[in-house]
Structures are given as C-alpha cells and as structure tokens.
Amino acid sequence: MPFRTIVGHRRLLTLLSRAVARDTLPPALLLAGPAGVGKRRVAQAIAETVNCLKPHDVASGFSRTDAPDLARDACGECPACRRIQRAVHPDVIVIEPGDMGSIKIDQVRDVIDRADYRPFEGRRRVVVIDEADALMPAAQNALLKTLEEPPSASMFVLVSSIPDALLATVRSRCSRLRFAALSASEVTEVLRRDHGYSEQDARAVAVDAEGSVGRALESESADLVEARDGAQRLLDYTARAGDPARRLDAARDVTGKKGTSAGERDQLAACLRALGSLLRDVGIVSAGGDRSLIGNTDLEPQLASVARSFDSRRSASAYAAVDEALAALERNASPKIVADWLVLQL
Ligand SMILES: [Zn+2]
C-alpha cells in the first residue's frame, strides 16, 4: 500500500513523504481523524516507505506524473514491502485491541522491549498501534517513557478516531496528523477499486457515508440504492408538479403505504439524506458552481434537468426543509406526516 495508491489526504501524504525522504519523520506520530478514512493504511504506507528496499524517489526516476507531490514512496513490490503487506515483516509490529476491546499492558511491554533492539532487517522498526484509544491507562503510562525518548531505530505510529480519549501525556508526546473525512467521490473510488462495487452502488452508498469508507461498508447498499432512486423520483416529480394533491401521491412513493413502522422510518431517513445530497448538487449546477464538487456525478444530466426548475434559492430552501424533516424524524415524528409536509415545501 504505497502512498500513491491511497485515496484522498494528499496534503498529509505529501508531508509524510517529504519527511521520510529527508529523514525528519517524528519518532511518535498520532494519526487522528474520523473512522474509516484510511488512517491505518497510511500507517502501513509509512512503514513500507521507510523500509522499502527499492523506494521510488527523484533519484530512482520516480514518475512525476504518477504522484507529482511525493518526494519518496514505497515500491510496493520488493520483499520488504510484500512482507509488510502480509503483516510478517519482523520490524513492523501492529498492535490492536484484543477480544475484550482493549489493548493491555502486556502487549505494550512486549513492543517496548523489542524497540530496544536494532531492526532485524529493515531500516527502522515501526510500531503501529491501531485504535490506540483502546490502550488501557496502565498501558499508556508504560508507553510514556518510550514515546518521549524512542530508541533511534524505532518509531511509533498511533492511530485513533477518538484521540481525545488518550491520556494528555501520551498526546503531548506525539506529533498529531489530522485526517479529514473523504469526499463522496473519494469514497466511491475506494468502494469501486478495493471492494468490487458497481459505479451505481458505490455512488449511492458514498453519498450517505459521511466521508467514511468504513461507514459505507457497514450500510446496506441495496436499501441505499432504493433510497436514492426514491429521492430522485421525488425530486423529478416536485420539479414538474405544482399540484399539492399530486405531490402527496409522490410522498406515498417514499414512505410506503402506512408510513409508521421503524423500517419505514429508517428508509425515509435514508431517502431524505439522499435527497439532501441531490439538492446540494442541484444547487451547485443551478449556481454554475464547480462541477468537481458534485457528489452524484453519475446523475449529472438528471441534475441539470431538475436545476431548470430549482434555481439556487429554491434548492437552498428545499435543502433546509429536508434538514428540518430529518430533525423531525429524529424527534420521532410520524414518517407519513414528515413526508407529506416535506413534499409541500420543496
Ligand atoms: Zn519496496
């Protein structure tokens, strides 16, 4: 998993790549940010780039078109890179929570002991602590001294989506890299490339994933495809029909017949989130904004057609109404009432 194959996070990857090339990588890093955006992959890419036997860099004729910002990257193919990918490299140690959900002091003592020895075959021993917030307080305290004065040939990479759960003393000894959520397009790209999603499924899941591949993978893609289809039909319909009675018919389409059960509530909520995402895109189209910001790129022709009825003011107020409808659903309002109200606001 070299840096150049990681989706998103370009600025952080550039920074890390330069630091590896200049040998100025801090000995203790904290990769902090939302769950499911690729932090652990980045930790592995650091370990590969540091220990790769044939790193790509300017001297080795690194293709600048592939990765224009990277000063150095792992080859991804040498024996060292392959062993790291298979998690059998003797100098790259990953610790993570056990069955009980926590990282115990014994796991930490073991890596501290090993950190004192020179690397067996790599240039630098890399200890990755995934879900570092699961470190028991005693384990964190055991780490403190090592984080403060790491043995010169070792480095520590802590990964956490809730970094504030770590002891302040641990946090203060690490250089923190802040990861942001991915864009919907980036989530789509990962789902298609690494998880075998079709373009349509990937798009539908990505717009509801809040920039997290992990979240996207947890959600039911079939339901979300249906939710986005429903949202699109509703939007098409309201763009054309002014008549309230006919609009209310369109509401039945997305709430089911009764519109009362918990399942119908979830389905409507998914539909509303998809609708919000579509309206956001319609707003971009009608305002003549930057098309690269569009989440539902596969629906651009349909978005353009809806944008003829939804100028930027109407799409903004519709977006606000969707937001209000979602809040009402969360307060337990009836899905049927929420849907009826919403179709009259759009
Ligand atoms: Zn390599």
Side-chain angles (χ1 to χ4, degrees), residues 48 51-55 73-82 85:
E48 278 184 40
N51 286 305
C52 177
L53 302 173
K54 293 177 188 165
D73 201 359
C75 75
E77 291 163 358
C78 70
C81 283
R82 286 189 186 279
Q85 289 154 13

Side-chain angles (χ1 to χ4, degrees), residues 1-3 6 40-50 73-74:
M1 178 55 53
F3 287 136
I6 289 172
R40 178 160 168 172
R41 286 188 172 212
V42 171
Q44 188 189 319
I46 295 170
E48 278 184 40
T49 309
V50 164
D73 201 359

Side-chain angles (χ1 to χ4, degrees), residues 42-239:
V42 171
Q44 188 189 319
I46 295 170
E48 278 184 40
T49 309
V50 164
N51 286 305
C52 177
L53 302 173
K54 293 177 188 165
H56 291 192
D57 54 24
V58 180
S60 76
F62 194 8
S63 156
R64 307 298 284 177
T65 49
D66 257 10
D69 310 331
L70 300 178
R72 179 173 301 176
D73 201 359
C75 75
E77 291 163 358
C78 70
C81 283
R82 286 189 186 279
R83 280 188 198 179
I84 294 169
Q85 289 154 13
R86 300 199 328 262
V88 293
H89 194 292
D91 299 313
V92 176
I93 303 158
V94 178
I95 55 178
E96 55 197 339
D99 294 339
M100 302 299 285
S102 56
I103 302 176
K104 303 215 169 59
I105 190 163
D106 296 348
Q107 291 169 271
V108 169
R109 285 225 176 91
D110 183 49
V111 294
I112 292 172
D113 289 347
R114 286 205 260 170
D116 276 337
Y117 295 96
R118 293 206 53 74
F120 296 109
E121 34 182 88
R123 261 190 297 280
R124 202 165 180 194
R125 180 173 291 105
V126 181
V127 178
V128 176
I129 306 183
D130 196 17
E131 295 184 48
D133 42 86
L135 284 160
M136 306 277 278
Q140 296 190 45
N141 281 319
L143 258 183
L144 280 181
K145 193 166 168 301
T146 311
L147 289 178
E148 194 159 60
E149 296 170 14
S152 61
S154 291
M155 65 171 295
F156 286 77
V157 183
L158 278 61
V159 176
S160 175
S161 53
I162 28 175
D164 291 341
L166 287 161
L167 295 179
T169 44
V170 168
R171 272 182 274 137
S172 69
R173 284 165 173 77
C174 298
S175 304
R176 188 188 294 218
L177 294 178
R178 288 170 212 277
F179 284 68
L182 297 170
S183 70
S185 294
E186 288 164 346
V187 173
T188 304
E189 189 180 340
V190 177
L191 293 176
R192 292 194 56 198
R193 188 191 69 183
D194 299 343
H195 301 281
Y197 278 60
S198 70
E199 171 79 28
Q200 190 205 17
D201 286 2
R203 286 268 157 218
V205 176
V207 294
D208 199 39
E210 292 174 14
S212 160
V213 173
R215 203 184 144 107
L217 291 173
E218 283 166 12
S219 61
E220 276 295 327
S221 64
D223 285 356
L224 289 174
V225 170
E226 194 190 318
R228 198 176 69 139
D229 284 350
Q232 198 201 327
R233 282 197 304 275
L234 190 63
L235 198 55
D236 283 346
Y237 201 82
T238 48

Side-chain angles (χ1 to χ4, degrees), residues 306-325:
V306 171
R308 283 198 283 277
S309 319
F310 278 75
D311 58 13
S312 40
R313 193 191 224 164
R314 184 176 175 194
S315 41
S317 80
Y319 185 87
V322 169
D323 211 33
E324 215 173 308

